[in-house]
Amino acid sequence: MAGKSASGTVQQNSAQRDSAGRGRRIALMNQKGGVGKTTAAVNLAAGIAEQGRRTLLIDLDPQAHATLHLGIDPGALERSVYDVLLDPDDDPRASVVEGRPFLDVLPAEVDLAGAETELAGMEGAQRRLARALETLGPKYEFVLMDCPPSLGMLTINALSAAREVMIPMQAHFLALQGVGKLLETVSLVAQRVNPVLRVMGVLLSMHDENTNHAREVVADLEAFLESAEGGEAPWSGAKVYRPAIRRNIKLAECPSFGKTVFEYAPWAPGALDFRKLAEGLVAESDARSSELAEREQEEEESAAAPEVVVELKPTAERSA
């Protein structure tokens, strides 16, 4: 059987790394509601966009809270993510709204609640969003998806389209128990639908680090993630992201004004935490891109290097 050419191997390795690295697609997911998931999705996206990085926020929650948070009226929309999911021939670019400089939004509307039922039984229903991102994705360095607090067709679409999962959670005992079930869900999707899907880590929201209970829960969570290091589970390599997002009333107030926390209260603890977290994610992505570029260059140089052939003469010829 003929082997792969060196150039083919380089192209394949590059494609595999692109699927796991450049153009980060992050689903913010937790099946428990009220954990600050939408707050994290909106303000993390805004913090990344503040640094001049092209970012797309996709609102997959029928409550349209991420859409409202950015001052976009769901009732006034002519098109939304609903159209993208229900019509496979739809041009997703027509549904994208400019939210802020460097921050675009694929908004939600109330009709999205019916998408769960309407998508059931449709061909390729689980990968409608993934196909849309084949058109939208190349424009953006970061794509963040705000998932609904349930495991239905909308969340499955997000996990099928994402490359990474971030889990916002409070440092409470019951929330910690729920993370185990959530990881099982990610593992099933990775096995059956999206083999590149990984859990990047946990984001602590509404956090109070001064309580013993919170410290104990975080310690247990970090110990669990460390035990998976080097394994084959989708959460191998996951971490607890820092800083934790401190409980802050400004984060609760700003959605009612259609503003991000950076616009509403730029020096509030919540704004400082999200800005630092966004800076960390951007730095992490830059470091990853540099590392991938160096590996690609090494592979290309290795593939281009001439093959050196050493010809050995028989023993009789050398003795003569």
Side-chain angles (χ1 to χ4, degrees), residues 232-312:
E232 297 182 359
W235 52 91
S236 174
K239 64 181 180 180
V240 176
Y241 274 85
R242 296 285 195 261
I245 307 302
R246 290 168 284 180
R247 186 179 294 276
N248 179 217
I249 190 60
K250 299 300 182 183
L251 289 172
E253 292 174 352
C254 60
S256 62
F257 294 91
K259 294 182 178 182
T260 70
V261 71
F262 307 114
E263 297 163 333
Y264 180 70
W267 300 111
L272 299 177
D273 293 342
F274 271 116
R275 183 174 289 113
K276 189 171 182 180
L277 182 66
E279 289 171 352
L281 276 181
V282 169
E284 180 181 273
S285 294
D286 288 347
R288 183 184 300 185
S289 294
S290 297
E291 181 181 348
L292 295 179
E294 290 175 4
R295 289 182 185 175
E296 286 178 353
Q297 184 176 359
E298 290 174 0
E299 288 180 356
E300 289 171 359
E301 291 173 353
S302 176
E307 184 178 358
V308 179
V309 178
V310 179
E311 184 176 348
L312 297 176

Side-chain angles (χ1 to χ4, degrees), residues 115-268:
E116 295 279 5
T117 303
E118 295 177 68
L119 283 169
M122 287 187 177
E123 183 179 356
Q126 295 179 338
R127 295 193 56 79
R128 291 286 176 89
L129 185 60
R131 284 198 294 272
L133 284 181
E134 291 175 4
T135 300
L136 292 173
K139 180 180 178 181
Y140 300 101
E141 190 170 346
F142 288 85
V143 176
L144 274 65
M145 294 164 251
D146 183 27
C147 299
S150 62
L151 183 61
M153 194 61 72
L154 296 174
T155 298
I156 294 298
N157 260 273
L159 295 180
S160 298
R163 294 167 181 157
E164 302 170 274
V165 175
M166 175 178 277
I167 304 172
M169 64 164 278
Q170 290 180 265
H172 294 169
F173 174 76
L174 292 179
L176 183 61
Q177 300 305 303
V179 168
K181 300 298 293 182
L182 193 152
L183 294 178
E184 290 179 14
T185 299
V186 173
S187 183
L188 285 173
V189 173
Q191 291 172 23
R192 300 177 181 179
V193 182
N194 184 4
V196 304
L197 186 65
R198 310 292 296 176
V199 177
M200 59 188 288
V202 172
L203 171 61
L204 298 170
S205 58
M206 294 179 274
H207 191 60
D208 184 358
E209 61 184 10
N210 294 320
T211 67
N212 289 332
H213 178 67
R215 287 195 292 267
E216 289 171 1
V217 169
V218 173
D220 288 345
L221 179 61
E222 289 180 324
F224 170 76
L225 294 177
E226 287 174 8
S227 70
E229 189 76 31
E232 297 182 359
W235 52 91
S236 174
K239 64 181 180 180
V240 176
Y241 274 85
R242 296 285 195 261
I245 307 302
R246 290 168 284 180
R247 186 179 294 276
N248 179 217
I249 190 60
K250 299 300 182 183
L251 289 172
E253 292 174 352
C254 60
S256 62
F257 294 91
K259 294 182 178 182
T260 70
V261 71
F262 307 114
E263 297 163 333
Y264 180 70
W267 300 111

Side-chain angles (χ1 to χ4, degrees), residues 77 79-81 83-84 90-97 105-107:
L77 294 170
R79 302 172 62 83
S80 71
V81 70
D83 301 282
V84 174
D90 182 77
D91 183 353
R93 292 170 293 192
S95 298
V96 173
V97 176
V105 185
L106 186 52

